[in-house]
Amino acid sequence: MRRITVLKGETEATPLDEALAAGAAADGGFVWTRLAPVEFMSNALEWADSVRKDGVVREAFPEARSAMIHEADIAAVAAAALTAEGHGGQEYWLTGPEALTVRDKVRTLAEVLGREVRYAELSREEAVAQWRGAGFSDEDVAFFLAMRTDPPAAGYTVLPTVERVTGRPARTFAQWVGENATAFAP
């Protein structure tokens, strides 16, 4: 049996999107499994330069929560779906084991790195200016704002999917920071 995994990139796909994905997989003779990860832990690498140089994370929306997922956990679920029976036609929402705010993430960075990392809160306007300066489109900026000001519950609801599919718990953000500590080192 030929299997594929499809990485879902939006929190809410339209029925047409769903039908097209399922149809393409079926037309190709594949059994598909859709993986729907929330925020990737590697997004924290956006802070690496400022942490390395200034010991600070500059970010808006300090109370926005995310059940971030380790990329290796996404890969582990994909591997299980590609190599074992029983995953065809499933959609797996993938989260880490905890929902963290920006402040929680900064605190974790400091603890794991063993040094002070300060949090400098940006205003909404400063965040938008930063995104625009990085070249993001109006559509991207609107998406970023929505995810931080009114995120869907799927973005911060911790689910046991990784453990259920792989047989081991999802990795924590602290584990991810430990694995990537050199990116933040002065």
Side-chain angles (χ1 to χ4, degrees):
M1 177 173 295
R2 296 172 10 154
R3 300 180 180 106
I4 61 170
T5 58
V6 178
L7 190 63
K8 183 175 182 172
E10 296 184 24
T11 55
E12 295 186 24
T14 67
L16 178 59
D17 294 334
E18 300 290 331
L20 289 172
D27 289 348
F30 295 98
V31 173
W32 60 271
T33 304
R34 183 171 288 118
L35 307 180
V38 298
E39 181 183 4
F40 290 22
M41 289 182 184
S42 63
N43 286 352
L45 290 171
E46 295 172 355
W47 302 336
D49 284 341
S50 66
V51 170
R52 190 172 44 254
K53 294 174 185 173
D54 305 321
V56 65
V57 169
R58 293 174 185 88
E59 187 74 40
F61 314 107
E63 299 308 317
R65 293 180 298 147
S66 174
M68 312 166 78
I69 183 155
H70 194 298
E71 297 76 25
D73 288 333
I74 299 169
V77 172
L82 292 169
T83 60
E85 295 293 327
H87 301 287
Q90 299 295 313
E91 179 172 274
Y92 292 137
W93 282 89
L94 305 175
T95 72
E98 56 203 345
L100 302 173
T101 65
V102 173
R103 285 189 173 101
D104 296 332
K105 295 173 200 177
V106 173
R107 188 174 22 261
T108 300
L109 275 170
E111 289 171 1
V112 175
L113 297 175
R115 64 186 181 97
E116 182 182 358
V117 178
R118 294 178 295 107
Y119 171 63
E121 183 176 349
L122 298 179
S123 69
R124 177 186 180 111
E125 294 74 23
E126 290 170 322
V128 169
Q130 189 176 58
W131 295 326
R132 291 194 193 290
F136 289 105
S137 69
D138 289 344
E139 184 178 287
D140 291 331
V141 170
F143 175 76
F144 297 156
L145 285 171
M147 290 300 104
R148 286 164 176 84
T149 60
D150 188 24
Y156 56 81
T157 301
V158 173
L159 298 172
T161 312
V162 171
E163 186 166 11
R164 188 169 40 85
V165 173
T166 68
R168 57 158 208 74
R171 294 165 177 93
T172 66
F173 184 59
Q175 288 173 291
W176 182 91
V177 173
E179 294 166 7
N180 293 277
T182 58
F184 300 92

